[in-house]
Structure formats: C-alpha cells, structure tokens
Amino acid sequence: MAMVTVIRNAKVYQPEYAGVKDILVMNGKIAAVGENLKADFGGCVEVEELDAEGMAAVPGFIDSHEHIMGGGGEGGFATRTPEANLKDLISNGITTVVGCIGTDSVARDMTALLAKAHALEAEGITAYAYTGSYRVPVQTLTDSLMKDIMMLDKVIGVGEVAVSDHRSSQPSFEEFARIAADARVAGMLSGKAGIVNVHLGDSARKMDLIERVIHETEIPASQFLPTHVNRNAALFENCLELAKEGLTIDFTGNEDIDYWETICDEVRVCRGIRRLLDLGISSDRFTISSDGQGSMPVFNAAGEYQGIGIGKASCLLKEVRECVQKEGIPLEIAVKGITSNVASVLKLGAKGRLKAGFDADICLLAEDTLELKTVMARGQLVVRDGVQQVFGTFERA
Ligand code: ZN
C-alpha cells in the first residue's frame, strides 16, 4: 500500500461542493484538499496518483444501523440471517458501520457483536456498535449500560430499542426515559454520542415514547436517532413534527424501492426527504441506514409471519441516487444523509467529511450516473474501478 495517495481532479463534495480539487492522503488521513497539490518526497516515499477526472468524490458512507453479525429469526431458527462480509460493505461504499443486534438477544449477544465489529475493523473498515437489542432491560456486556458506553471503545450508544411494535418488550415510559438518561450521561462522561437508536414499529403509538421524553423531561431531541421512520405515512408525519424540534430521523433504505412503496405502503425515501426539505426542516436532520443483514419479515394484519427477505447495504447509494435523479435534490444535500449527518448525530469526529485532518474514507462516483467506482477506507484503496482490492479473511478474488 502506498503511504501517500493523491486523487487528482475530482469534483469534491465535502459534502458541500468545493469544486474540482486534488485530495492528498497520508497515513490514512486526508492531509490536504486543494488545487494542483504537490506530493514530492524526493523519492523516499511511494506516491500513488489516481486520476479522478469526471468523478465526484464524496465521503465514505456511514451506515448507522446494520445487523453485522446477522439478525432475524422471527420466522423460526431457519430464518436467522447470515453475517455481513467485508465485500457486502466496501462494494457498496460503506467505510464505517454501526452494528446492532435486533429482535433476538437470546441466541445473539454483545460479546458476539463486538467480536464481529473488531473483525471488520481488522479487515480494513471502521466499525462501532450499540449496546443492547430490541429489549428492555438492556442486556449489556458489562454490568451496566453506562459502563458499556463509557468503557468499551466501540460502543457509542444503545439500541435498537424497539417501541410501538408487537415484537417490542413493551417498555414503560419510566424504563424508556431511564435508558435515555443513562445513555446521555454515559455519553457526556466519555465524549461519545450516547445515542439511543430506536426501532419504530407499525403501531398507532408511533413516536409516543420519544415525544414524551423530549417534552416531559430535560433530555433533548438530539439524544435519539429513531429508525424506520418511513415505514408508513402516519408514522412519518409524526417524525417530521419532531424533526422540526431538532430530532434527526433515520430512513431505512430499500433494495427493491418500488416493491416497498407500492406493496408495503412505505414512504419512498426520496419523497420523504423532499417533503422534509420542503417543510423547511434543516438538511442536517435526516440520515439513511440500510438495516443490512436484518430480516425483513412480512406480517399480516393479525401479526402472523408471512414470508421473509434480507436487508442489503447496497440500498444506501441507491436511495441517494433516487434523491438526485427523481427528486432533483442536489448531491451535496442528499449525500449528507449517509455521510456528515450520520457523523454529527453519532459524534464520529474524524468521519463523514472530505477535509484535512479527517479519516481518508472516500468514494468516487461516476459524475453522470452516480455509479460507485472506487472506494478508499482509512487511506487504503479497497475497491478500484469497480474491482474489489482488499478481501475479507474468507473471501477470494
Ligand atoms: Zn429495526
């Protein structure tokens, strides 16, 4: 691996559009973004030059909600989903991922989740995790939620805590508020987000619990990152009301976008983001995550299991592309949802921006089609011209 890489003549989105620039990468970090950058070390350092003419350079994608060690199981043991491979992530531009458990916190636990996060990190990307699962009381690795967040480097919050769902553990208001309080203080004490990632179900109670915590306690909206906000129109409208009060809301992307809109009555992500922007809500207030490797069970009106699919990490870029191509949302706005907005709400200081001092996580997209071409993770070219360069331990070229 070259210690120094110069990406030449890319249209740089920081994510704010900064014009055609070079990006100088040294030791895994962005050293400079500018015009005609010189990288002359007198021959004592290997310098790799990468021509990015006709390409958009955007920050590497951050997936804030992925079942990295597998999830599911809601249709019985045979429906447990497989874990994510390095390829699933890097070939879709994801250079940072946050792992979560899901419904099953009996046959899956924090030890296994953290082991998987460490494995992905060793293979070349950046990985974090939420402590806990759908269920309350939160099942942690240490003896407390606060200790997990404060003392385990990879743990940046708690979740996905399930509410308004028949699969939820039905936490009371007091239980739910206590989780947010503990996560908040543990986050303050350790310089982390201490975010509460909340799984929203389909029920009429919608955002009820989050709304009450924001309005009845001193805990601010910024403590929460509710996900699956686009699962139905009524829920989405409720989420928009709180986004006006400063809540960041997380859309779940879809691989088969038409299916989920027409058959399952979801709010199409690009339409939802358009609506958020049209209401005058800040473009900092939305994120998109993949729910990758999670099972996507279909239930009938009686809550009975009907069939199953699996979440794919490829949906992140697909949804951003739809925002640009279908809704005319500028790339520099749309891409915030999978880069800088995620880094801000999760307080990932070195992530999500193409600026000097930030981690060299970079995606190069074809300017016209927005197809993913090249991916750099922590300064290493992991995908080049659509060809995977770095492989997981059990993957082959
Ligand atoms: Zn969920």
Side-chain angles (χ1 to χ4, degrees):
M1 175 173 76
M3 297 298 286
V4 177
T5 307
V6 194
I7 299 170
R8 295 281 182 205
N9 299 315
K11 292 197 155 182
V12 175
Y13 292 82
Q14 293 184 308
E16 301 79 17
Y17 183 57
V20 176
K21 295 251 156 67
D22 300 341
I23 305 170
L24 176 64
V25 173
M26 296 172 72
N27 295 326
K29 293 272 183 186
I30 296 172
V33 179
E35 279 165 41
N36 304 314
L37 294 180
K38 300 233 176 350
D40 183 3
F41 298 90
C44 58
V45 176
E46 190 190 335
V47 179
E48 179 157 27
E49 299 255 345
L50 204 72
D51 179 19
E53 176 125 30
M55 291 203 250
V58 298
F61 307 155
I62 307 169
D63 192 352
S64 69
H65 188 105
E66 173 141 3
H67 300 274
I68 54 174
M69 69 161 163
E74 294 168 357
F77 291 118
T79 64
R80 287 160 51 82
T81 61
E83 61 184 55
N85 297 315
L86 185 69
K87 179 194 169 80
D88 298 326
L89 299 164
I90 59 176
S91 66
N92 293 305
I94 293 162
T95 53
T96 301
V97 66
V98 188
C100 56
I101 291 184
T103 319
D104 179 3
S105 56
V106 175
R108 300 190 190 274
D109 66 13
M110 281 309 293
T111 316
L113 181 65
L114 285 169
K116 179 63 186 179
H118 279 284
L120 287 171
E121 186 107 9
E123 289 178 328
I125 63 164
T126 304
Y128 297 100
Y130 302 118
T131 188
S133 64
Y134 268 29
R135 308 196 70 76
V136 174
V138 176
Q139 282 154 322
T140 54
L141 183 70
T142 68
D143 58 16
S144 82
L145 188 167
M146 290 187 69
K147 254 189 218 173
D148 272 21
I149 293 176
M150 286 177 67
M151 297 304 165
L152 302 174
D153 288 349
K154 294 211 168 301
V155 175
I156 57 169
V158 56
E160 57 176 317
V161 179
V163 302
S164 306
D165 193 303
H166 62 99
R167 296 161 289 177
S168 159
S169 60
Q170 310 303 340
S172 67
F173 169 70
E174 286 73 19
E175 286 175 309
F176 188 72
R178 176 63 57 84
I179 289 169
D182 285 354
R184 176 171 179 77
V185 175
M188 290 169 61
L189 293 173
S190 55
K192 294 178 179 176
I195 204 83
V196 187
N197 189 232
V198 182
H199 161 103
L200 296 168
D202 248 333
S203 95
R205 288 192 289 168
K206 300 184 293 238
M207 296 281 279
D208 182 41
L209 281 174
I210 295 177
E211 205 165 348
R212 284 188 61 194
V213 173
I214 295 172
H215 293 158
E216 295 175 29
T217 78
E218 297 76 20
I219 297 168
S222 56
Q223 209 61 43
F224 296 96
L225 181 62
T227 188
H228 318 318
V229 301
N230 51 317
R231 124 179 277 145
N232 66 56
L235 175 65
F236 183 59
E237 289 306 310
N238 192 192
C239 292
L240 287 174
E241 287 306 312
L242 288 171
K244 288 178 193 160
E245 298 179 30
L247 180 71
T248 301
I249 61 174
D250 184 47
F251 292 83
T252 300
N254 286 313
E255 175 68 18
D256 188 345
I257 297 172
D258 293 328
Y259 169 80
W260 286 91
E261 183 185 37
T262 51
I263 310 294
C264 303
D265 221 21
E266 280 199 5
V267 176
R268 199 174 186 104
V269 173
C270 63
R271 297 220 172 92
I273 292 171
R274 164 53 71 200
R275 180 152 163 70
L276 178 146
L277 296 172
D278 285 350
L279 285 170
I281 297 169
S282 163
S283 64
D284 295 340
R285 293 283 79 85
F286 72 91
T287 61
I288 310 170
S289 66
S290 75
D291 209 5
Q293 304 304 122
S295 66
M296 297 192 298
V298 179
F299 298 96
N300 65 15
E304 290 159 337
Y305 170 78
Q306 302 291 296
I308 200 160
I310 188 166
K312 296 223 170 64
S314 55
C315 66
L316 291 191
L317 181 56
K318 268 191 185 172
E319 299 288 9
V320 166
R321 210 182 281 137
E322 278 226 335
C323 285
V324 175
Q325 294 171 351
K326 272 205 162 74
E327 292 293 336
I329 298 167
L331 179 61
E332 62 180 337
I333 301 291
V335 84
K336 287 169 76 169
I338 57 174
T339 59
S340 60
N341 286 355
V342 198
S344 297
V345 71
L346 299 180
K347 289 200 166 74
L348 307 177
K351 299 291 183 188
R353 293 189 168 275
L354 296 188
K355 289 188 175 168
F358 281 72
D359 285 355
D361 296 336
I362 303 169
C363 289
L364 298 179
L365 314 174
E367 193 188 337
D368 43 356
T369 60
L370 300 183
E371 251 177 84
L372 183 66
K373 295 294 182 192
T374 294
V375 182
M376 179 180 272
R378 300 199 327 248
Q380 189 180 15
L381 282 167
V382 293
V383 177
R384 189 168 189 165
D385 293 328
V387 181
Q388 190 176 352
Q389 306 290 309
V390 171
F391 294 87
T393 311
F394 303 104
E395 295 171 353
R396 296 288 177 270

